[in-house]
Amino acid sequence: MIFVTVGTHEDSFDRLIKEIDRLKGEKIILEDVKIQLGYTKYLPLYCSYERGIGFERMSELAQEARIIITHGGPGSMLLALQYNKIPIVVPRQKQFKEHVDDHQVYFSKRMKAENRILTVIDIGCLEDIIVNYSELVMNIKIDEVSCTSNFVRKFTIIADELLI
């Protein structure tokens, strides 16, 4: 199963949800897809979805999922990492009116540079990353990322560096 979460930001994230739905509809994705839709306006035709999901349900879906695809919010990345899963991160972008600025892009690029996540800036690359996910994550070493306090400490350092 693939679990997609777009977080709770009030802007729509149609770009991601439309692409996931297209891949499922064209049978490029064969497994079940469950989506936390948030404020996204586009309603998927081929994937199951819920607008809001509580903490316990999010944890269940994250544990059950083979792949977690998320926006660039640190909390959503941490959800995957705490279950020792490498997330595919599609950061919200200002140019598509998905957020007020590009802080998710910057943070995602930094996390990718540290070899902790797979990042998709160009939505056209998402298909290839999903299809080749197992091979791509083989090269990513999960060490200490399951420790919440360690992640928060490292996140604070990265955030401070980006703000300077």
Side-chain angles (χ1 to χ4, degrees):
M1 184 266 289
I2 295 176
F3 175 49
V4 181
T5 177
V6 300
T8 57
H9 183 71
E10 62 273 4
D11 288 322
S12 186
F13 203 0
D14 289 349
R15 182 172 60 99
L16 173 58
I17 302 307
K18 284 180 181 178
E19 182 64 5
I20 294 290
D21 203 39
R22 179 189 74 78
L23 295 172
K24 179 68 175 162
E26 293 180 9
K27 300 192 184 326
I28 293 163
I29 296 175
L30 299 175
E31 59 202 294
D32 288 341
V33 176
K34 297 181 181 180
I35 301 173
Q36 177 266 323
L37 205 56
Y39 291 93
T40 299
K41 293 178 180 118
Y42 175 82
L43 299 178
L45 302 172
Y46 306 102
C47 306
S48 64
Y49 63 89
E50 298 174 53
R51 286 233 174 252
I53 299 176
F55 176 77
E56 287 182 26
R57 180 77 174 131
M58 288 280 281
S59 294
E60 288 172 11
L61 291 168
Q63 288 177 63
E64 180 184 332
R66 181 178 73 87
I67 298 174
I68 298 172
I69 301 172
T70 179
H71 69 122
S76 295
M77 286 184 218
L78 178 58
L79 177 69
L81 294 171
Q82 73 183 355
Y83 295 113
N84 293 324
K85 297 184 183 184
I86 303 300
I88 298 173
V89 178
V90 183
R92 292 172 176 268
Q93 295 182 42
K94 181 180 180 181
Q95 70 175 320
F96 300 114
K97 298 180 174 38
E98 297 162 346
H99 220 305
V100 297
D101 60 25
D102 284 329
H103 70 277
Q104 288 193 359
V105 174
Y106 304 134
F107 184 65
S108 299
K109 285 181 177 180
R110 176 67 183 265
M111 292 294 287
K112 176 156 179 43
E114 292 185 5
N115 205 29
R116 294 183 170 278
I117 64 172
L118 298 172
T119 302
V120 175
I121 303 299
D122 175 355
I123 201 71
C125 298
L126 183 59
E127 176 180 339
D128 184 58
I129 290 178
I130 292 171
V131 168
N132 296 299
Y133 180 81
S134 296
E135 292 80 26
L136 293 169
V137 297
M138 285 176 33
N139 297 322
I140 298 178
K141 179 182 168 194
I142 299 178
D143 65 335
E144 303 178 62
V145 293
S146 61
C147 176
T148 303
S149 62
N150 187 51
F151 180 84
V152 170
R153 183 181 58 77
K154 288 184 178 184
F155 169 72
T156 302
I157 292 167
I158 292 168
D160 287 345
E161 288 174 3
L162 289 173
L163 294 173
I164 294 176

